[in-house]
Short mmCIF file of all heavy atoms in Angstrom, two decimals:
data_model
loop_
_atom_site.label_atom_id
_atom_site.label_comp_id
_atom_site.label_asym_id
_atom_site.label_seq_id
_atom_site.Cartn_x
_atom_site.Cartn_y
_atom_site.Cartn_z
N MET E 181 -47.72 124.34 -73.49
CA MET E 181 -47.96 123.21 -72.58
C MET E 181 -49.14 122.39 -73.04
O MET E 181 -49.11 121.15 -73.03
CB MET E 181 -48.20 123.74 -71.16
CG MET E 181 -46.97 124.25 -70.46
SD MET E 181 -45.94 122.91 -69.80
CE MET E 181 -47.01 122.24 -68.55
N THR E 185 -48.98 118.51 -74.30
CA THR E 185 -49.79 117.54 -73.56
C THR E 185 -50.78 116.85 -74.47
O THR E 185 -50.98 115.63 -74.38
CB THR E 185 -50.52 118.22 -72.40
OG1 THR E 185 -49.56 118.84 -71.53
CG2 THR E 185 -51.33 117.22 -71.59
N ALA E 188 -48.91 114.34 -76.45
CA ALA E 188 -48.55 113.19 -75.63
C ALA E 188 -49.75 112.30 -75.38
O ALA E 188 -49.65 111.06 -75.41
CB ALA E 188 -47.97 113.67 -74.30
N GLU E 189 -50.91 112.90 -75.15
CA GLU E 189 -52.13 112.12 -74.92
C GLU E 189 -52.50 111.30 -76.15
O GLU E 189 -53.07 110.21 -76.03
CB GLU E 189 -53.29 113.04 -74.53
CG GLU E 189 -53.17 113.58 -73.11
CD GLU E 189 -54.29 114.56 -72.77
OE1 GLU E 189 -54.91 115.10 -73.71
OE2 GLU E 189 -54.53 114.77 -71.56
N PHE E 222 -40.76 125.78 -59.77
CA PHE E 222 -41.26 124.51 -60.31
C PHE E 222 -41.07 124.43 -61.83
O PHE E 222 -40.75 123.37 -62.36
CB PHE E 222 -42.75 124.37 -59.95
CG PHE E 222 -43.40 123.11 -60.45
CD1 PHE E 222 -43.26 121.92 -59.76
CD2 PHE E 222 -44.16 123.12 -61.61
CE1 PHE E 222 -43.87 120.75 -60.22
CE2 PHE E 222 -44.77 121.96 -62.07
CZ PHE E 222 -44.62 120.78 -61.38
N THR E 226 -38.43 121.57 -62.51
CA THR E 226 -39.13 120.31 -62.73
C THR E 226 -39.64 120.15 -64.16
O THR E 226 -39.40 119.13 -64.81
CB THR E 226 -40.33 120.18 -61.76
OG1 THR E 226 -39.85 120.31 -60.41
CG2 THR E 226 -41.03 118.84 -61.92
N ALA E 292 -42.75 106.12 -73.69
CA ALA E 292 -43.94 105.71 -72.95
C ALA E 292 -43.79 106.01 -71.46
O ALA E 292 -44.74 106.47 -70.81
CB ALA E 292 -44.21 104.22 -73.18
N ALA E 293 -42.60 105.75 -70.92
CA ALA E 293 -42.35 106.06 -69.51
C ALA E 293 -42.39 107.56 -69.27
O ALA E 293 -42.98 108.02 -68.28
CB ALA E 293 -41.00 105.49 -69.09
N TRP E 294 -41.78 108.33 -70.18
CA TRP E 294 -41.82 109.79 -70.04
C TRP E 294 -43.26 110.29 -70.14
O TRP E 294 -43.67 111.17 -69.37
CB TRP E 294 -40.98 110.44 -71.14
CG TRP E 294 -41.11 111.94 -71.13
CD1 TRP E 294 -40.36 112.83 -70.43
CD2 TRP E 294 -42.10 112.71 -71.84
NE1 TRP E 294 -40.81 114.12 -70.66
CE2 TRP E 294 -41.87 114.07 -71.52
CE3 TRP E 294 -43.14 112.39 -72.72
CZ2 TRP E 294 -42.65 115.11 -72.05
CZ3 TRP E 294 -43.92 113.44 -73.25
CH2 TRP E 294 -43.67 114.76 -72.91
N ARG E 295 -44.02 109.76 -71.07
CA ARG E 295 -45.40 110.20 -71.29
C ARG E 295 -46.23 110.06 -70.03
O ARG E 295 -46.99 110.97 -69.67
CB ARG E 295 -46.00 109.38 -72.43
CG ARG E 295 -47.47 109.66 -72.71
CD ARG E 295 -47.96 108.81 -73.88
NE ARG E 295 -49.39 109.00 -74.09
CZ ARG E 295 -50.33 108.27 -73.51
NH1 ARG E 295 -49.98 107.28 -72.67
NH2 ARG E 295 -51.61 108.51 -73.74
N GLN E 296 -46.11 108.93 -69.36
CA GLN E 296 -46.88 108.72 -68.14
C GLN E 296 -46.51 109.76 -67.07
O GLN E 296 -47.39 110.34 -66.43
CB GLN E 296 -46.64 107.31 -67.59
CG GLN E 296 -47.41 107.00 -66.33
CD GLN E 296 -47.19 105.57 -65.85
OE1 GLN E 296 -46.56 104.77 -66.55
NE2 GLN E 296 -47.68 105.25 -64.66
N GLN E 297 -45.23 110.00 -66.91
CA GLN E 297 -44.77 110.99 -65.93
C GLN E 297 -45.24 112.39 -66.30
O GLN E 297 -45.64 113.18 -65.44
CB GLN E 297 -43.25 110.93 -65.82
CG GLN E 297 -42.73 109.63 -65.24
CD GLN E 297 -41.22 109.51 -65.38
OE1 GLN E 297 -40.57 110.37 -65.96
NE2 GLN E 297 -40.66 108.43 -64.85
N TRP E 298 -45.18 112.69 -67.59
CA TRP E 298 -45.57 114.03 -68.04
C TRP E 298 -47.05 114.28 -67.80
O TRP E 298 -47.45 115.34 -67.31
CB TRP E 298 -45.24 114.20 -69.51
CG TRP E 298 -45.68 115.52 -70.08
CD1 TRP E 298 -46.81 115.78 -70.81
CD2 TRP E 298 -45.02 116.79 -69.93
NE1 TRP E 298 -46.89 117.11 -71.13
CE2 TRP E 298 -45.80 117.75 -70.62
CE3 TRP E 298 -43.84 117.18 -69.30
CZ2 TRP E 298 -45.44 119.09 -70.67
CZ3 TRP E 298 -43.47 118.52 -69.38
CH2 TRP E 298 -44.26 119.46 -70.05
N LEU E 299 -47.89 113.34 -68.16
CA LEU E 299 -49.33 113.52 -67.99
C LEU E 299 -49.71 113.64 -66.52
O LEU E 299 -50.66 114.35 -66.17
CB LEU E 299 -50.09 112.36 -68.66
CG LEU E 299 -49.96 112.30 -70.19
CD1 LEU E 299 -50.71 111.09 -70.73
CD2 LEU E 299 -50.46 113.58 -70.84
N GLU E 300 -48.98 112.96 -65.65
CA GLU E 300 -49.23 113.10 -64.21
C GLU E 300 -48.80 114.48 -63.72
O GLU E 300 -49.43 115.06 -62.83
CB GLU E 300 -48.47 112.01 -63.45
CG GLU E 300 -49.02 110.62 -63.65
CD GLU E 300 -48.13 109.55 -63.02
OE1 GLU E 300 -47.04 109.91 -62.52
OE2 GLU E 300 -48.52 108.37 -63.05
N MET E 301 -47.74 115.00 -64.29
CA MET E 301 -47.19 116.26 -63.83
C MET E 301 -47.95 117.47 -64.34
O MET E 301 -48.07 118.49 -63.67
CB MET E 301 -45.72 116.38 -64.26
CG MET E 301 -45.02 117.63 -63.74
SD MET E 301 -43.29 117.67 -64.29
CE MET E 301 -43.52 117.83 -66.07
N THR E 302 -48.51 117.39 -65.54
CA THR E 302 -49.11 118.58 -66.14
C THR E 302 -50.29 119.11 -65.36
O THR E 302 -50.50 120.32 -65.29
CB THR E 302 -49.53 118.30 -67.60
OG1 THR E 302 -50.28 117.07 -67.64
CG2 THR E 302 -48.33 118.21 -68.50
N SER E 303 -51.07 118.22 -64.77
CA SER E 303 -52.20 118.71 -63.98
C SER E 303 -51.70 119.49 -62.77
O SER E 303 -52.27 120.52 -62.39
CB SER E 303 -53.08 117.54 -63.53
OG SER E 303 -52.32 116.64 -62.75
N MET E 304 -50.61 119.04 -62.18
CA MET E 304 -50.03 119.75 -61.05
C MET E 304 -49.50 121.11 -61.50
O MET E 304 -49.65 122.12 -60.81
CB MET E 304 -48.90 118.94 -60.43
CG MET E 304 -48.22 119.63 -59.25
SD MET E 304 -47.06 118.54 -58.38
CE MET E 304 -45.90 118.15 -59.67
N PHE E 305 -48.88 121.16 -62.70
CA PHE E 305 -48.35 122.43 -63.18
C PHE E 305 -49.47 123.43 -63.42
O PHE E 305 -49.34 124.60 -63.14
CB PHE E 305 -47.55 122.23 -64.46
CG PHE E 305 -47.02 123.52 -65.02
CD1 PHE E 305 -45.97 124.18 -64.40
CD2 PHE E 305 -47.58 124.10 -66.14
CE1 PHE E 305 -45.50 125.38 -64.88
CE2 PHE E 305 -47.11 125.29 -66.64
CZ PHE E 305 -46.06 125.93 -66.02
N LYS E 306 -50.60 122.95 -63.94
CA LYS E 306 -51.73 123.87 -64.17
C LYS E 306 -52.20 124.47 -62.86
O LYS E 306 -52.57 125.64 -62.80
CB LYS E 306 -52.86 123.12 -64.87
CG LYS E 306 -52.53 122.74 -66.31
CD LYS E 306 -53.63 121.89 -66.91
CE LYS E 306 -53.25 121.44 -68.32
NZ LYS E 306 -54.25 120.53 -68.91
N LEU E 307 -52.20 123.66 -61.78
CA LEU E 307 -52.56 124.20 -60.48
C LEU E 307 -51.56 125.26 -60.03
O LEU E 307 -51.92 126.29 -59.48
CB LEU E 307 -52.66 123.07 -59.45
CG LEU E 307 -53.82 122.10 -59.62
CD1 LEU E 307 -53.70 120.97 -58.61
CD2 LEU E 307 -55.14 122.83 -59.46
#
Side-chain angles (χ1 to χ4, degrees):
M181 286 282 294
T185 302
E189 286 177 340
F222 180 81
T226 304
W294 174 89
R295 176 178 176 270
Q296 181 178 352
Q297 294 170 357
W298 177 261
L299 294 178
E300 290 173 355
M301 184 180 65
T302 48
S303 59
M304 178 171 61
F305 178 73
K306 290 174 184 177
L307 290 175

